[in-house]
Amino acid sequence: MTEHFNYSLLPHNTFHIDARCRRYVEYDSEDELRKILPSLTHERFLHIGGGSNLLFLQDFPGTILHSAIRSVDIVKSDGDDVWVRVGAGLDWDQFVEYCIQHGLYGLENLSLIPGEVGASAVQNIGAYGVEAADLLTLVETIDVTTGEIESMRAEECQYGYRTSIFKNSLRGKRFVTHVTYKLSRRFVPRLDYAALRRELEARGLSEDVLTADDLRRVIIDVRREKLPEPSETGSAGSFFVNPVVNREHFERLLAAYPEMPHYLLPDGNVKIPAGWLIQQAGWRGRQVGRAGVWPKQALVLTNLGGATGKDILALSDAICTDVEKSFGIVLQPEVNFI
Ligand code: EPU
């Protein structure tokens, strides 16, 4: 276990905000975590992963916890199906790479998503037509009050678009220690996403010759083309979630903007890309002080160097005001403000 006091969180948030916490604790096992739990009753605490979905608006006066549980084990096999149990503290993309290298398929489309395995189960990360909840089977947690291990089947985790029970009723009550993914020894590419199919066509990669390595490489290139490189430019990926409007609201918008991209949802509502709304509102590529809107993907707000969390928030507020004025849609952040 490592422990630091008055510790800079700069290496622990992808927005590169220089906030400090009173105490920072990294644990290597469930037993170590259990020993820390009693100290959390006196003060605020926050469990982080790779810090890729956080915006620190000020110093954090309590304890920040971080898991260093990074084991990967095959726990069951049945025909082509393989269940892999992985520690919450493993870097997500290292896990994806490990799986592909070991002939375990299913996670290719989720290549290069910043963050750690634990957050994949909390946040239901998703990209290019696949989300974590499609493949996840079990989430092992520790109850913050009792220290008991509570294993939850995926069906119990209330997964939805970028959400789960861990972001709602269990927020701050359970820490994820391990996640089990059901992968396959047979590679079946998921190519539902139109931009992905176009990219594969452009490279002359037809579905029958495509390997998981090829697909991973294409996903990585597509992400690098659109999104900032986390080590160079501070950001938290998508800053907002894509909003959902009802049919009537959608029809009104479509009449005014016939080219508006949209996805019809099974419940009759319609999801509209926030990036498109922000671009239409004139914000793509703009800057306010040390905060900016990424020129290639307006859904991503960036730290242009030395920004505070409040600088980023001011930009976010200005964007929300304009999007609401133009479209009657109130954007909701995907990023957690701390
Ligand atoms: N668009 C614009 N202008 C922009 C950005 C997007 O017009 O500045 C349009 C695009 O042309 C496209 C549509 O909006 O028609 C959707 O854009 P894109 O395919 O880039 O996806 P997204 O909906 O903006 C979501 C995820 C991303 C994920 C991509 C690919 C959310 C909040 N974001 O973005 O996730 O990589 O799909 O699957 O759902 C993340 O969560 O950090 C993240 C990057």
Side-chain angles (χ1 to χ4, degrees):
M1 183 174 100
T2 50
E3 186 174 41
H4 301 281
F5 291 91
N6 187 22
Y7 179 73
S8 170
L9 296 163
L10 196 56
H12 298 284
N13 74 100
T14 58
F15 248 124
H16 304 167
I17 303 291
D18 190 10
R20 285 181 171 267
C21 60
R22 190 192 72 75
R23 177 169 77 137
Y24 176 87
V25 184
E26 188 169 278
Y27 58 89
D28 299 289
S29 66
E30 283 106 322
D31 281 346
E32 277 187 6
L33 172 57
R34 244 183 243 109
K35 284 185 199 135
I36 301 161
L37 292 179
S39 70
L40 302 181
T41 50
H42 319 304
E43 61 172 0
R44 280 178 68 192
F45 62 87
L46 174 71
H47 199 300
I48 64 168
S52 54
N53 222 7
L54 300 175
L55 181 63
F56 287 103
L57 298 175
Q58 60 245 318
D59 289 342
F60 188 77
T63 293
I64 299 272
L65 297 116
H66 186 230
S67 169
I69 303 178
R70 302 194 177 102
S71 54
V72 184
D73 296 292
I74 292 182
V75 289
K76 185 175 146 189
S77 261
D78 180 8
D80 284 335
D81 295 334
V82 180
W83 284 259
V84 184
R85 177 179 186 253
V86 52
L90 185 64
D91 174 76
W92 173 260
D93 192 54
Q94 277 181 23
F95 175 53
V96 174
E97 188 180 36
Y98 173 95
C99 291
I100 296 173
Q101 279 172 356
H102 288 78
L104 303 170
Y105 305 121
L107 300 174
E108 303 74 36
N109 296 37
L110 304 180
S111 290
L112 209 65
I113 293 185
E116 293 172 1
V117 166
S120 71
V122 173
Q123 170 73 2
N124 188 16
I125 56 172
Y128 309 106
V130 175
E131 54 183 27
D134 299 340
L135 297 139
L136 187 158
T137 58
L138 195 76
V139 184
E140 289 163 64
T141 67
I142 282 202
D143 188 287
V144 175
T145 330
T146 64
E148 296 286 320
I149 293 178
E150 308 275 354
S151 293
M152 297 173 67
R153 286 177 294 113
E155 306 81 74
E156 298 172 276
C157 298
Q158 299 174 4
Y159 283 117
Y161 166 59
R162 295 291 199 276
T163 192
S164 74
I165 196 167
F166 307 110
K167 286 181 78 171
N168 297 298
S169 58
L170 291 184
R171 183 188 281 264
K173 299 198 170 111
R174 302 262 177 98
F175 296 148
V176 176
T177 58
H178 295 87
V179 185
T180 300
Y181 280 93
K182 182 183 170 194
L183 304 176
S184 176
R185 293 209 187 272
R186 203 157 54 89
F187 172 56
V188 181
R190 292 283 304 273
L191 308 177
D192 322 329
Y193 198 79
L196 187 56
R197 279 200 307 275
R198 278 199 300 274
E199 185 60 33
L200 291 168
E201 247 164 64
R203 294 175 185 221
L205 283 167
S206 67
E207 198 172 333
D208 42 324
V209 298
L210 189 73
T211 66
D213 265 329
D214 294 334
L215 183 53
R216 173 169 164 82
R217 213 163 311 124
V218 170
I219 296 277
I220 287 176
D221 289 350
V222 168
R223 286 189 74 91
R224 289 213 166 117
E225 172 60 31
K226 279 204 170 175
L227 303 168
E229 175 63 39
S231 60
E232 286 164 17
T233 305
S235 94
S238 301
F239 193 89
F240 303 100
V241 290
N242 288 331
V244 173
V245 297
N246 64 30
R247 195 78 203 193
E248 186 221 320
H249 193 163
F250 165 68
E251 301 287 356
R252 259 188 290 128
L253 290 175
L254 195 67
Y257 305 94
E259 76 295 355
M260 178 176 73
H262 56 270
Y263 317 100
L264 305 175
L265 301 177
D267 62 3
N269 291 327
V270 186
K271 193 188 270 183
I272 317 242
W276 183 86
L277 295 167
I278 296 167
Q279 181 178 344
Q280 291 298 309
W283 277 99
R284 189 154 102 159
R286 270 175 70 184
Q287 306 179 356
V288 172
R290 289 165 292 176
V293 182
W294 190 242
K296 294 179 187 164
Q297 164 54 290
L299 190 51
V300 177
L301 306 193
T302 61
N303 177 355
L304 298 167
T308 62
K310 285 181 176 144
D311 293 336
I312 309 282
L313 183 63
L315 174 62
S316 153
D317 285 346
I319 291 171
C320 287
T321 303
D322 281 1
V323 167
E324 188 175 3
K325 239 187 264 161
S326 305
F327 302 100
I329 294 175
V330 181
L331 290 179
Q332 299 299 330
E334 179 179 338
V335 168
N336 295 303
F337 300 148
I338 310 295

